[in-house]
Amino acid sequence: SCCRSKLSQYKRRLEALRDGGSSLGSFSTFLNQGLSRREIVTLNALRCCIKDHVSNFAGDVANKWRQYGKYTDGTYIDGTYTDGTFDFYPSLLIGHLRQQSESQLQLQEMMSHSQLFIEFVDQRKKASATKNEKAKGDVGKFIAAWVYVHWKRKRREK
């Protein structure tokens, strides 16, 4: 992951570029001259550092989202049984993340309460439900085909 020392290096390099007449400090210069090779290399390295940080931001939520919430029991509503729902609890995630560095934790704590992050967990839940439904459908088709074949064989024997 991208550490503070790398960010400090990138900051110093950007400041040196700015002080050296870089096109990063002037929009009109940027439009007329574009970026130098050094500016491109610096910005790409910084972009990769940020991308690495963001991709590691959610930790293991993408694969282990279930451990950060609870399912409610199913209920009858208007005579129809509804499956339980999944509720995401940011506090469960934060409890797990407390082992990580304090500065990263503050950002993750703010983000985990955001609608964007809650939507991310909800998308993981929906993807999992779709996968489970497909698996149930495949099992159901297999059982139906097996029963049909054996039922047909029994009918022929009679």
Side-chain angles (χ1 to χ4, degrees), residues 74-83 85:
T75 58
Y76 283 95
I77 298 175
D78 296 328
T80 305
Y81 181 78
T82 59
D83 289 336
T85 59

Side-chain angles (χ1 to χ4, degrees), residues 73-103:
D73 293 332
T75 58
Y76 283 95
I77 298 175
D78 296 328
T80 305
Y81 181 78
T82 59
D83 289 336
T85 59
F86 178 82
D87 294 322
F88 170 66
Y89 290 98
S91 59
L92 293 175
L93 173 64
I94 298 307
H96 176 74
L97 295 174
R98 291 222 183 267
Q99 300 167 0
Q100 296 182 0
S101 71
E102 201 57 38
S103 61

